[in-house]
Amino acid sequence: MWGDGHLPHVSMDADSHKTEQKILLRSACLTAALALLGVLLGLVSRAQSLVFDGMFDAIDTGMSLVAWHASRLIGRGADCRFQFGYWHLEPILTLVSSTVRLFVCAYGLLGGVSSLMNGGRVIHYDIAITSAAISSCLSVVAFIYIQRNKRGLDSSLLDSDARGWQFGALMSGGLCASFLLAQALEGTSAAWMMPYIDPVVLILLTGGMLPYPISAIYRAGRSILQVAPRDLDQQVRAIAGDLVTRHGLIDHQCYVARIGRARFIEIGFITPTKHSGFTIAELDEIRSQVATELGGLRTADWLTVYFTAVRRRSLADPD
């Protein structure tokens, strides 16, 4: 082997991690307050959909606190136990939180169907409307706050948290609109429909939300299993192929993975068996060209570039 080079990077800078942790902690506190408000007013108003909304917020509170702790671990960088850092926690947390949300949605859907089959329920719409309106407004404010402050952080933890607030805003807004509609039916010939509004809205909300956690589970699963992202794989292969031609090398082999916000890239350049005159400085220059062609390495990237005359056998190689 002519030379072996690793270009590891330290974790995200301290200020960025502090910003991420501050946002996650504030989000968790606000979510806890909304969860308590939703459950209490949902029980008082007898609105099952509000109780579900509050329980959903309670789960988000727990997930935000876990994400906050994970952000602290990621900020520590690599250590003797996790020598590539704690980036793997991001897709794992996304998988766990999305799975929990999936089961909550399924439970809410079944609860709505059961209530509908039992004749629905009469609720106190004034309390329900107030609760849903407050929750919707605060969710919108929190979503905008996170979207503005997470720019440039490239944090899947904040992305997941922002999606939670977006779902919360849509859910609470839909509840508020449906409660207003139900209240408008009071005293009319369609008043018989009022007991069915709450379970129908619950069914529509939970059924409509089911695809989102399923999609998140799929993406997180691919990341955990280290399925090579097609776009990154094609980009790295194109860069390596161009450098092979430019420097008179024989071939290249590439291996990529994306875990959370971290990219792991390994490129092996196949060199002639006889010494071709490359100096260590020239090999380092090729490594630098790889990093430049990638658009510059981010703090979460780990790039390995090595040069060898021995081709590593891959499952993709023909017999």
Side-chain angles (χ1 to χ4, degrees):
M1 184 175 290
W2 291 6
D4 180 64
H6 299 272
L7 297 177
H9 294 271
V10 297
S11 57
M12 185 190 295
D13 62 90
D15 290 338
S16 297
H17 266 294
K18 286 181 180 179
T19 300
E20 181 183 55
Q21 292 163 25
K22 179 178 67 176
I23 295 172
L24 289 171
L25 192 56
R26 289 179 176 177
S27 174
C29 292
L30 181 57
T31 309
L34 285 180
L36 183 61
L37 177 69
V39 172
L40 289 178
L41 294 185
L43 292 174
V44 171
S45 64
R46 301 184 72 247
Q48 189 178 15
S49 52
L50 280 182
V51 175
F52 169 79
D53 191 20
M55 294 301 297
F56 202 87
D57 286 338
I59 292 172
D60 278 344
T61 300
M63 291 298 103
S64 294
L65 289 174
V66 173
W68 171 73
H69 183 61
S71 178
R72 295 182 63 190
L73 291 175
I74 291 172
R76 286 164 47 181
D79 56 31
C80 60
R81 295 183 63 191
F82 295 97
Q83 298 183 8
F84 286 95
Y86 289 83
W87 306 108
H88 59 285
L89 293 179
E90 291 184 296
I92 291 175
L93 285 177
T94 300
L95 178 67
V96 172
S97 63
S98 299
T99 301
V100 172
R101 286 170 179 166
L102 176 63
F103 280 107
V104 170
C105 287
Y107 178 80
L109 180 62
L110 293 175
V113 171
S114 175
S115 179
L116 186 64
M117 294 177 64
N118 291 326
R121 64 175 63 209
V122 178
I123 67 175
H124 303 291
Y125 287 105
D126 290 337
I127 299 176
I129 290 171
T130 301
S131 176
I134 293 174
S135 179
S136 179
C137 291
L138 291 179
S139 295
V140 170
V141 171
F143 174 73
I144 294 174
Y145 169 76
I146 294 175
Q147 286 292 100
R148 287 182 176 178
N149 286 276
K150 75 181 183 69
R151 292 173 183 170
L153 297 182
D154 191 27
S155 169
S156 63
L157 298 178
L158 291 178
D159 289 340
S160 178
D161 202 50
R163 282 195 297 270
W165 283 111
Q166 185 180 33
F167 294 156
L170 292 172
M171 180 182 294
S172 299
L175 289 174
C176 186
S178 64
F179 292 153
L180 286 171
L181 174 63
Q183 192 176 48
L185 296 178
E186 191 173 2
T188 67
S189 57
W192 62 271
M193 298 174 58
M194 294 177 63
Y196 298 100
I197 295 294
D198 182 53
V200 167
V201 169
L202 182 60
I203 292 171
L204 292 176
L205 286 176
T206 54
M209 290 175 62
L210 278 175
Y212 295 99
I214 292 175
S215 175
I217 290 171
Y218 174 76
R219 292 193 301 269
R222 287 178 60 89
S223 183
I224 292 172
L225 295 174
Q226 299 185 32
V227 177
R230 181 173 299 179
D231 57 340
L232 180 60
D233 184 50
Q234 291 177 346
Q235 179 189 14
V236 171
R237 290 182 182 278
I239 292 172
D242 179 63
L243 290 174
V244 165
T245 303
R246 193 187 311 171
H247 294 282
L249 301 171
I250 295 178
D251 201 357
H252 68 275
Q253 291 181 312
C254 302
Y255 305 90
V256 300
R258 182 182 289 129
I259 304 176
R261 77 190 79 174
R263 298 185 303 176
F264 294 86
I265 302 169
E266 178 180 319
I267 303 176
F269 288 107
I270 313 302
T271 63
T273 304
K274 295 183 178 180
H275 199 287
S276 60
F278 283 112
T279 65
I280 296 298
E282 289 172 334
L283 296 179
D284 286 338
E285 177 60 26
I286 295 176
R287 296 187 183 101
S288 297
Q289 290 175 12
V290 172
T292 301
E293 293 292 332
L294 285 169
L297 296 182
R298 305 173 304 175
T299 56
D301 289 339
W302 186 285
L303 173 64
T304 302
V305 179
Y306 63 89
F307 302 85
T308 179
V310 180
R311 180 188 295 272
R312 178 191 298 178
R313 182 167 178 79
S314 169
L315 292 177
D317 293 336
D319 293 332

